[in-house]
Amino acid sequence: MSLQYSIVFSILIGELSIIALFLIPIPFIIKSSIELALIKTSRSSLVNRIAMAIFVLVFIFFLDSFHKMLKFHTAISELTSYAGPLQTDSSEFGSMNNRNMHRPQSHHHHHNSFQSSALYSTLFYAQRNVYLTGMVLVLFLKMQQLIKERMDNRQVISSTESTLAKYINEIAILGEENSKLCSQISLLKKDNEGLVLKIRSQSSEKNSEYKRLSDLLSNLDV
């Protein structure tokens, strides 16, 4: 494997590791801290530029590998189409002249077989490079999708928590106002009770005064 595809393979291993961190069931605290670190890293403009440059470079490798794969596939097809059948003498008692006559053709056949094997081997490596670079591109897009989903989920959770905290604060304020109103109502009840007692005492005093005056008036009449 050449240096460039060794680097591509290393990138593939890194992408698989990152996606595995999203998918493997690990403790929530560890997973949340890892996701938070990845989200903070993905928000960096420098990291985004480097990731985009790597994506473009791997995409160029993908196009190059795909072009080579098509070229070698076409070469194998042409070699298979234009290669003549191998002519050999099936008789064990054939003459030496016939053997000498077929020897160059056999050499040509072996040369074509070797060339075909080399082309098939090169085609295999080109196909491997296509699969390798294509998988890197697909996993890169999938990783970006997962990170975006986690960012959206965290934004929803953050907005929900802020809204919940706001409602809790409002409920606390309403509770304080309710307690103040309850204390005011209790004070008003006490004042009302005191006023009722005062009115009753005044009424009893007036009744007693009225009786006294009535008795005094009756005595004067007598």
Side-chain angles (χ1 to χ4, degrees), residues 39-173:
I39 290 172
K40 288 182 179 179
T41 304
S42 64
R43 288 177 179 174
S44 174
S45 59
L46 178 61
V47 173
N48 288 329
R49 286 196 294 268
I50 293 173
M52 187 56 62
I54 292 173
F55 181 83
V56 172
L57 185 63
V58 174
F59 184 72
I60 293 172
F61 290 162
F62 173 77
L63 294 178
D64 181 64
S65 301
F66 189 77
H67 175 70
K68 288 180 180 178
M69 183 185 70
L70 293 179
K71 183 176 69 174
F72 292 132
H73 188 272
T74 304
I76 290 173
S77 299
E78 291 177 354
L79 183 64
T80 305
S81 300
Y82 292 112
L86 178 63
Q87 297 178 358
T88 56
D89 190 2
S90 60
S91 175
E92 296 181 358
F93 303 100
S95 62
M96 293 297 295
N97 292 329
N98 290 332
R99 291 179 182 177
N100 292 330
M101 180 180 65
H102 291 296
R103 188 172 297 168
Q105 294 179 357
S106 178
H107 175 72
H108 179 68
H109 174 74
H110 288 302
H111 177 70
N112 289 337
S113 298
F114 177 77
Q115 186 178 4
S116 177
S117 299
L119 286 175
Y120 274 114
S121 177
T122 310
L123 176 63
F124 170 77
Y125 289 122
Q127 290 173 342
R128 180 204 63 187
N129 294 334
V130 169
Y131 300 149
L132 184 63
T133 53
M135 184 59 67
V136 168
L137 296 176
V138 171
L139 289 181
F140 180 84
L141 297 176
K142 183 62 178 178
M143 186 174 63
Q144 293 294 323
Q145 181 183 3
L146 288 174
I147 292 175
K148 186 177 183 303
E149 288 178 356
R150 294 301 188 276
M151 290 175 64
D152 294 339
N153 291 336
R154 285 188 173 272
Q155 288 179 357
V156 171
I157 292 172
S158 178
S159 62
T160 304
E161 289 178 351
S162 62
T163 305
L164 183 61
K166 181 180 178 181
Y167 287 156
I168 291 173
N169 189 19
E170 291 179 355
I171 290 171
I173 293 172

